[in-house]
Amino acid sequence: MGNFGQLMDGFVVALTMHHVMIMVIGVLLGLVVGVLPGLGAPNGVSLLLPLTFTMDPIAAIILLTSMYWGALFGGSTTSILFNIPGEPSSVATTFDGHPMAKQGEAVRALTLAFGSAGFGAMVGVVVITLLSGWVANFALQFGSPEYFAVYFMAFASFIGMAGGSPFKTLVCIMLGLAVGTVGMDTISGEGRLTFGITQLTNGISFLIVVIGLFGIGELLLTIDEGYKFEGVKAKLSLRVILRTLAELPRYWVTLLRSALIGCWMGITPGGPTAASFMSYALGRRFSRRGKYFGKGEPEGIVAPETADHSAGSCALLPMLALGVPGSATAAVMMGGLMIWGLSPGPMLFTTRPDFVWGLIASMYLGNVIAVVLVLATVPIFAWILRAPFTVVGPLIAIICLIGAYTVSNHIFDIWVALAFGLVGYVFKKLDYPLAPFVLAVVLGDKAEDAFRQSMLSSGGSLSVFFEGSLVATMMGIGILLLSLPLLTALFGGLFRRGAEEGQTSRP
């Protein structure tokens, strides 16, 4: 009941005309970000962040989270109508969404996507409501060794669970940690990795990093792959929308399974993209109509969209309660909290309960507003996206460069953003994940500080990370996650070898 009472107080904060208007504006901006390939939620939030520096923190975070929801919904629009995912997490939606749209059922596909996305997001917010207080109280037991163990688990989770090549993930984390150390050492006062460039003395802003990686990098990739906007016409039909919404409960098993997958991948650093692909794969595996996946099957839309949005919501829980973001966008938002003078972590629930519960209440309202607005604006964005890429591309580039300059009003930041744009392009071409890199840039200095404080308190002994039951458990889990790819390869090889020997021994 404590959480329920605080949530009601949060609704008192969120349900003001000022904050509701901010939600509407944020969702509309997010829709623009989501439907334009080359932007995406992390870059869109980072572009908007400098505009919030003079705002009240509650209004600022409501604006950013509303933009986040809008970007997630907007990415589904281009996936279905144009077969171009506006968000990386919307890639799986193209598999069945675009084929259904090409069959003349674009409105049905969009309604399935937005309805299941709204359900997944709401489940994620409910999970945050129920678990945030418990996670925050549990984290009050943390000291510097425990915080380092949490950061270690976050990095290890990316390597062990995020999918893809563990080696590439490790390389991205190490490079991100290196970028995070650029600038003045807070303890010794010496410059690190500045190479004599005075502009690097204060370090590299994570905003510049994300603008380059997610904005300019995606734009270069789009140009290289020659994307063309060739969409499917979509005209709203209220009858089709209502009939499709009534159809959704038929897929309740897929909805629940995908929401659980998304919540787990959001709380752990798996992220929405991994959640959507995992949910699609499991949906295809367990569905009685699995052979129709990829041909416009409704479950092929419901599964990734539900997981994508539940993961996107739950990614904010570890960011608020532990100071460990569960996604690249959550990492950008965490940077915003620190700029506003707020420290993400358990004490935030005690020192600023109005901020935390006002944010959680706004997430309920923001998701409802996003579902309504995204259905109403589909024809508008379908018309906009028929503009040639020679018009849309330069606009994206201008927005990115202006966003980089406004961080600190230095021309040098534009060159840094362009450099990270090339890095993002190379990472994408070589299939190196960007989320671990961004996570390491944001958490690198915090992990280093926690490690140094632990070493100072223990006289340089690593045993401090294994003395208490809590820190030892978390370090053990981190080591297990770190070694998971090796264990999987080892046992998988033994299993295959045993099967081969069994086959050769048969007469």
Side-chain angles (χ1 to χ4, degrees), residues 4 59 70 83 107 114 123 158 166 186 195 198 227 234-235 279 289 310 345 362 372 377 404 407 416 428 445 486:
F4 181 77
N83 203 31
V107 175
F114 300 147
V123 170
F158 264 110
T186 55
F195 304 104
T198 56
Y227 281 167
K235 185 178 181 181
S279 182
R289 296 177 55 84
S310 60
S362 74
V372 175
T377 54
V407 171
V416 175
K428 286 286 187 178
D445 59 338
L486 293 176

Side-chain angles (χ1 to χ4, degrees), residues 26-27 29-30 33 44-45 48 62-72:
V27 169
L29 289 173
V33 167
V45 171
L48 198 62
I62 287 176
L63 178 64
L64 294 183
T65 52
S66 299
M67 186 178 189
Y68 183 29
W69 310 140
L72 289 176

Side-chain angles (χ1 to χ4, degrees), residues 135-158:
V135 172
N137 291 330
F138 176 72
L140 287 173
Q141 307 173 33
F142 284 19
S144 55
E146 285 78 10
Y147 271 109
F148 176 76
V150 169
Y151 301 138
F152 177 69
M153 275 201 309
F155 296 134
S157 296
F158 264 110

Side-chain angles (χ1 to χ4, degrees), residues 175-206:
L175 289 175
L177 291 174
V179 172
T181 60
V182 173
M184 193 76 70
D185 184 4
T186 55
I187 294 181
S188 67
E190 297 180 356
R192 300 188 297 183
L193 299 180
T194 58
F195 304 104
I197 302 174
T198 56
Q199 291 90 339
L200 293 178
T201 304
N202 294 326
I204 299 175
S205 170
F206 76 98

Side-chain angles (χ1 to χ4, degrees), residues 73-98:
F73 280 98
S76 307
T77 304
T78 51
S79 295
I80 292 171
L81 295 181
F82 296 88
N83 203 31
I84 300 174
E87 284 283 312
S89 56
S90 299
V91 172
T93 306
T94 63
F95 299 158
D96 284 273
H98 192 63

